[in-house]
Amino acid sequence: MTLDDVAAQAGVSAKTVSRVVNGERSVRPDTRQRVLRAIEQLDYRPNLLARGLSGSHAYTIGLVYDNPNAYYIIAMQQGALTACDALNFGLQMRPCDSTVPGLAEDLRDFVHRSRLSGLVLTTPVSERQATLRKLAAYRIPFVRIVSAAKSPHDGIPCVYVDDRDAAYAITAHLLQLGHVRIGFLRGGKQHHASAERLQGYQDALRHYGVTLRKELMIEGDYVFDDGFRGARRLFELAEPPTAIFGCNDEIAAGALAAAQSTGLHVPYDVSIAGFEDSPFSRHSWPPLTTARQRADVIVERATRMLIARIRGEHVDNESFNPELVVRGSTAPPRPKSRRRKRG
Amino acid sequence: MTLDDVAAQAGVSAKTVSRVVNGERSVRPDTRQRVLRAIEQLDYRPNLLARGLSGSHAYTIGLVYDNPNAYYIIAMQQGALTACDALNFGLQMRPCDSTVPGLAEDLRDFVHRSRLSGLVLTTPVSERQATLRKLAAYRIPFVRIVSAAKSPHDGIPCVYVDDRDAAYAITAHLLQLGHVRIGFLRGGKQHHASAERLQGYQDALRHYGVTLRKELMIEGDYVFDDGFRGARRLFELAEPPTAIFGCNDEIAAGALAAAQSTGLHVPYDVSIAGFEDSPFSRHSWPPLTTARQRADVIVERATRMLIARIRGEHVDNESFNPELVVRGSTAPPRPKSRRRKRG
DNA sequence: TCCAGGTATGACAGCGCTGTCAAGCGTTGC
DNA sequence: GCAACGCTTGACAGCGCTGTCATACCTGGA
């Protein structure tokens, strides 16, 4: 099945079919209808290789990520693939280190060598302003996914995720259970999302009239080991927290391991909450209370936005809200008199 | 940089350069050298789109998998990508359900629609003999990765992994620690690897003169929940095992959670071992003793074999051995008198 | 010396599509 | 009624490579 077959069937030229396939505007509605019917009848799908070879770009987008989490990567890839398949685009995965200097130049070369149509930038790459500015200057179309409570007004299209609100919800959940001393294990300082989650945590405490305590907020990275060490430090405090909020599920898994290694029972001695709804959070014991992030859906939207933009259509920013998922790792605090060490 | 540029630089025709790039034999050694030098000088890389459009296949391979484990998928993808990048091939990921009827036909259509050059088949797809036979009959080039103690002699090229030997090593490790009652949580009946691991477990017991006990071997799937349930059943036996060997890390993680939910201390009350060396095994508490499988390296080899085959070169089967990794989840059994439930 | 038969190389078409440019057509304004 | 304009459509070249086929070259045996 080629353009010519469709053209013959519809009684138009191949070029007109090409116009319809690419969503160009200068086609009369009735002509467009005829072509679309022919495409459907013949089950025509454009040949990516030919389009890419002939056109000014390869009809393929790049998904740029700097994230060690396999589940996240798979989910993002899945979402991007869904959008690309539906819109007849190809996909290239592009891991990178968001902290290296010259990242914008690397990405530019990547785009040019493969003649990519555009990029979807995920966090934390999407938060490096200098890189964004350069990519824009290189005239590379991109859409970014960022953590923000409301739509950024810098004119660069994006999908934004309200981490702050979700972190507020988790903290409020703990407060409503009766916890007052709530530890916060921060991770991924290079991720703006981590600042947003901290902010949500602090907002909730303030809103419930609970004093913020520096010793309960511990810095680290988005990794298991930092969750483990951070939680250990919290447990060693004169007055340890009765609940811990890990900035993502991996940190929370580390905190869970730390509790178990210390002989503390979760959730009776200490409640633990994560963020992400990764399989970690379901495959631990007890399973983790967390915030569900649909990375696949978010990336799919971002990909669709990017392709629309490449086609010269107008696109508006979109927002997503993570959703609280309560599981067995959070419970009311044990009355002080009955709290004890075990093990 | 195009073939013509290289041709001009080397003083030959574009076609000859094409022959060198594709490793064809009918090029005089000195001509080949000249061309290779020109390629290097100009840093020429063939254009995948053009090759695919022009040639009889798309210079792209498909990686076929039926595996829910994200880490595995990422590792395999990474390996395949390394090989494809080095050899100027494209990669398409292809998840599937290995149990559906008509899988061979689906794969054939997938290959034909994208004009793929060949397939790398991973377990358990690679173990479905009928599917393999059909793919061979369709003249689709493929290489498979299977679990086997020695090279299969069916003439279909493969990379084989000795799961049996690795399972033997893990069981022997437990036996040497002094365990006699060792539970085995089997998973993934549709995977031949699972039978091989069971075999390795049984071989080790026999070799150490320990009687096999049916009630200690529990069937399930490669999932957390079955590990959890299976371990629970083992703990409820009149004489529960002092060690549990989970058929993969996810099962072992389930067993670990079951132990913790039952108040058993790992490894003092019960030892637990997994298989795979997934991040699960490092991010649990205690970290799991397991067998390291380099899925990335294995798939990279398989991909290189496939491409060699596509180019008409001769390829031999290759083998890999997983490697025992001892961590904190295994220890000598606690003397009976001192064993106790904790609550 | 010549020719058969193999080996090494090149000329050329064409893969399926898009970019460019030109032409056709209907509409508007004077 | 006619020029001028915008909208819609089509003809055609060519993207970079490989498949096919023809040709040049080389070897050894008669």
Side-chain angles (χ1 to χ4, degrees):
Chain A
M1 278 307 115
T2 72
L3 268 191
D4 281 323
D5 298 321
V6 179
Q9 172 90 3
V12 296
S13 74
K15 181 65 209 183
T16 298
V17 179
S18 167
R19 290 195 174 97
V20 171
V21 169
N22 289 291
E24 291 178 32
R25 269 174 292 274
S26 67
V27 178
R28 274 213 326 264
D30 58 323
T31 311
R32 177 183 306 277
Q33 281 313 314
R34 242 181 322 138
V35 171
L36 287 175
R37 209 172 320 123
I39 287 176
E40 184 155 5
Q41 280 169 11
L42 301 179
D43 189 28
Y44 167 76
R45 306 201 68 192
N47 180 325
L48 252 174
L49 300 172
R51 304 176 93 174
L53 182 59
S54 168
S56 57
H57 58 100
Y59 291 80
T60 292
I61 65 142
L63 179 62
V64 181
Y65 60 94
D66 174 13
N67 195 313
N69 186 324
Y71 293 101
Y72 225 79
I73 300 173
I74 291 289
M76 294 193 301
Q77 177 167 333
Q78 182 52 53
L81 218 47
T82 303
C84 285
D85 280 353
L87 299 166
N88 283 310
F89 268 66
L91 174 66
Q92 277 204 36
M93 299 293 288
R94 167 73 194 209
C96 71
D97 176 351
S98 66
T99 63
V100 294
L103 175 61
E105 288 71 23
D106 285 354
L107 290 176
R108 178 197 56 194
D109 295 346
F110 169 61
V111 167
H112 287 169
R113 252 193 329 106
S114 304
R115 298 183 41 255
L116 295 186
S117 313
L119 299 176
V120 171
L121 303 180
T122 63
T123 57
V125 185
S126 56
E127 290 157 357
R128 307 199 73 79
Q129 295 301 328
T131 304
L132 300 186
R133 271 196 301 275
K134 282 190 196 167
L135 289 178
Y138 297 146
R139 321 211 123 274
I140 293 172
F142 64 89
V143 166
R144 70 204 210 275
I145 297 167
V146 295
S147 174
K150 50 188 174 179
S151 181
H153 289 299
D154 52 10
I156 308 181
C158 76
V159 173
Y160 58 102
V161 180
D162 195 347
D163 285 276
R164 191 192 302 183
D165 188 58
Y168 183 100
I170 286 186
T171 314
H173 160 70
L174 293 170
L175 288 161
Q176 283 160 14
L177 287 173
H179 295 278
V180 178
R181 289 186 71 79
I182 302 174
F184 186 86
L185 296 178
R186 183 171 177 195
K189 244 190 167 160
Q190 75 276 27
H191 287 72
H192 182 56
S194 130
E196 286 285 315
R197 293 175 195 173
L198 175 60
Q199 189 65 50
Y201 159 82
Q202 294 176 338
D203 288 354
L205 290 186
R206 271 197 216 94
H207 191 242
Y208 279 73
V210 174
T211 315
L212 300 183
R213 301 207 172 275
K214 261 199 187 145
E215 73 271 21
L216 293 181
M217 301 178 231
I218 294 191
E219 300 281 342
D221 218 331
Y222 271 157
V223 297
F224 180 89
D225 286 344
D226 282 2
F228 191 92
R229 279 195 291 266
R232 286 269 201 167
R233 274 176 55 196
L234 289 175
F235 295 145
E236 285 162 6
L237 290 176
E239 208 175 342
T242 61
I244 295 180
F245 178 6
C247 207
N248 75 348
D249 284 345
E250 194 167 332
I251 287 180
L256 188 59
Q260 284 160 349
S261 75
T262 312
L264 291 170
H265 193 291
V266 177
Y268 302 114
D269 295 324
V270 59
S271 286
I272 293 181
F275 202 108
E276 234 169 60
D277 194 36
S278 75
F280 267 141
S281 63
R282 272 162 272 154
H283 291 168
S284 61
W285 186 263
L288 289 172
T289 291
T290 188
R292 179 174 297 145
Q293 293 236 49
R294 292 295 304 271
D296 53 344
V297 177
I298 295 170
V299 171
E300 183 188 338
R301 272 316 308 165
T303 306
R304 286 182 180 276
M305 276 175 69
L306 175 61
I307 293 175
R309 224 196 129 192
I310 290 164
R311 290 179 163 181
E313 300 165 15
H314 173 78
V315 293
D316 288 319
N317 291 351
E318 294 195 31
S319 73
F320 281 88
N321 274 57
E323 167 197 354
L324 179 64
V325 180
V326 177
R327 298 208 186 89
S329 69
T330 50
R334 179 176 279 209
K336 264 194 181 170
S337 56
R338 289 171 52 208
R339 206 178 305 148
R340 64 191 166 92
K341 285 235 173 178
R342 293 151 22 98
Chain B
M1 278 308 114
T2 73
L3 270 191
D4 282 322
D5 298 322
V6 180
Q9 173 88 3
V12 297
S13 75
K15 181 65 208 183
T16 298
V17 178
S18 167
R19 290 197 174 95
V20 171
V21 169
N22 289 291
E24 292 179 30
R25 268 174 294 273
S26 65
V27 178
R28 272 213 328 263
D30 58 322
T31 310
R32 178 185 306 279
Q33 281 313 314
R34 242 180 323 139
V35 171
L36 287 174
R37 207 171 322 122
I39 288 176
E40 184 155 3
Q41 280 169 12
L42 301 178
D43 189 28
Y44 167 76
R45 306 200 69 191
N47 180 324
L48 250 173
L49 300 171
R51 303 177 95 174
L53 182 58
S54 168
S56 57
H57 59 101
Y59 292 79
T60 292
I61 66 142
L63 179 62
V64 181
Y65 60 94
D66 174 13
N67 196 314
N69 186 324
Y71 292 101
Y72 226 79
I73 300 173
I74 292 288
M76 295 192 301
Q77 176 167 333
Q78 182 52 54
L81 218 47
T82 303
C84 285
D85 281 353
L87 298 168
N88 281 311
F89 268 66
L91 174 66
Q92 277 204 36
M93 299 293 288
R94 167 71 194 211
C96 72
D97 176 350
S98 67
T99 63
V100 294
L103 175 60
E105 288 72 23
D106 285 354
L107 290 176
R108 179 197 56 194
D109 294 347
F110 169 62
V111 167
H112 287 169
R113 252 194 327 106
S114 303
R115 297 181 43 254
L116 295 186
S117 313
L119 299 176
V120 171
L121 303 179
T122 63
T123 58
V125 184
S126 56
E127 290 157 357
R128 307 199 73 78
Q129 294 302 330
T131 304
L132 299 186
R133 270 196 301 275
K134 283 190 195 168
L135 289 178
Y138 297 147
R139 322 210 122 273
I140 293 172
F142 65 88
V143 166
R144 70 204 210 277
I145 297 166
V146 296
S147 175
K150 50 187 173 180
S151 180
H153 289 299
D154 53 10
I156 309 182
C158 76
V159 173
Y160 58 103
V161 180
D162 194 348
D163 286 274
R164 192 192 301 182
D165 188 57
Y168 183 100
I170 286 186
T171 313
H173 160 70
L174 293 171
L175 288 161
Q176 282 161 13
L177 286 173
H179 295 278
V180 177
R181 291 187 70 80
I182 301 175
F184 185 86
L185 296 177
R186 181 170 178 196
K189 244 192 167 159
Q190 74 277 26
H191 287 73
H192 182 56
S194 129
E196 286 286 314
R197 292 175 195 173
L198 175 59
Q199 190 65 51
Y201 159 82
Q202 293 177 340
D203 287 354
L205 290 185
R206 270 197 217 94
H207 191 241
Y208 279 73
V210 174
T211 314
L212 300 184
R213 301 208 172 274
K214 262 200 188 146
E215 73 269 21
L216 292 182
M217 300 178 231
I218 294 191
E219 300 280 342
D221 219 330
Y222 271 157
V223 298
F224 180 88
D225 285 343
D226 283 2
F228 191 91
R229 277 195 293 265
R232 286 268 203 169
R233 272 177 56 196
L234 289 176
F235 295 146
E236 284 162 7
L237 290 175
E239 209 176 342
T242 61
I244 295 179
F245 177 7
C247 206
N248 75 349
D249 284 345
E250 193 167 331
I251 287 180
L256 188 59
Q260 283 160 348
S261 75
T262 312
L264 292 169
H265 194 291
V266 177
Y268 303 115
D269 295 325
V270 59
S271 286
I272 293 181
F275 202 107
E276 233 169 61
D277 194 36
S278 75
F280 267 142
S281 64
R282 272 161 273 154
H283 290 168
S284 60
W285 185 263
L288 289 171
T289 291
T290 190
R292 181 174 297 145
Q293 295 237 45
R294 291 297 303 272
D296 53 344
V297 177
I298 294 170
V299 171
E300 184 188 338
R301 271 316 309 165
T303 306
R304 287 181 181 276
M305 276 176 68
L306 174 62
I307 294 175
R309 224 196 128 192
I310 290 165
R311 290 179 163 181
E313 299 164 16
H314 173 79
V315 294
D316 287 319
N317 291 352
E318 295 197 29
S319 73
F320 281 88
N321 276 56
E323 166 197 354
L324 179 65
V325 179
V326 177
R327 298 209 186 88
S329 68
T330 50
R334 178 176 282 210
K336 264 194 179 169
S337 56
R338 288 172 54 209
R339 205 178 306 147
R340 62 187 167 93
K341 287 236 175 178
R342 293 149 24 96

